[in-house]
């Protein structure tokens, strides 16, 4: 990892979409996350893939499809208010992470 990129499993965990990093890793390995980067969309199957600010992620959690833009990478798994600053919703305003 560097200051301009972060592993997708770590980012999903920091943004509080999944409760543990191991759950985030398994989620990505199942192919449940799509990454849109520079106009190309790919299904991720490796948790080591990097995300950058400006990338878009699409995934389904709890029966809802979420599309979010990565706004920041974060440095830790902080409180929900800090986690919400890591992304912006691309579809609706109902996209809230699990805590």
């Amino acid at each position: 990892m560097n200051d301009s990129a972060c592993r997708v499993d770590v980012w999903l965990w920091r943004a509080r979409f999944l409760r543990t990093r191991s759950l985030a890793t398994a989620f990505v390995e199942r192919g449940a996350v799509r990454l849109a980067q520079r106009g190309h969309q790919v299904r991720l199957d490796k948790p080591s893939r990097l995300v950058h600010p400006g990338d878009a992620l699409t995934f389904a959690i709890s029966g809802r499809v979420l599309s979010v833009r990565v706004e920041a990478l974060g440095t830790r798994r902080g409180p929900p208010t800090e986690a919400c600053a890591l992304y912006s919703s691309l579809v609706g305003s109902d996209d809230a992470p699990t805590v």
Side-chain angles (χ1 to χ4, degrees):
M1 280 188 289
N2 57 39
D3 292 339
S4 65
C6 179
R7 288 174 54 117
V8 67
D9 61 334
V10 172
W11 188 87
L12 288 167
W13 173 68
R14 286 179 183 168
R16 301 182 75 86
F17 285 107
L18 295 149
R19 291 181 187 263
T20 66
R21 184 165 169 204
S22 61
L23 286 175
T25 299
F27 186 69
V28 175
E29 287 174 342
R30 281 196 316 266
V33 179
R34 290 180 186 255
L35 170 67
Q37 203 173 45
R38 298 181 201 98
H40 300 284
Q41 188 176 48
V42 295
R43 182 183 302 255
L44 300 180
D45 60 353
K46 295 181 181 176
S48 62
R49 288 289 304 265
L50 298 178
V51 293
H52 304 84
D55 291 350
L57 297 173
T58 303
F59 50 92
I61 291 183
S62 302
R64 296 183 311 168
V65 175
L66 305 176
S67 291
V68 297
R69 176 178 293 114
V70 176
E71 298 294 343
L73 302 175
T75 56
R76 65 186 185 125
R77 180 179 164 96
T81 53
E82 188 176 308
C84 287
L86 300 182
Y87 64 92
S88 61
S89 175
L90 294 176
V91 178
S93 59
D94 254 359
D95 299 340
T98 59
V99 218

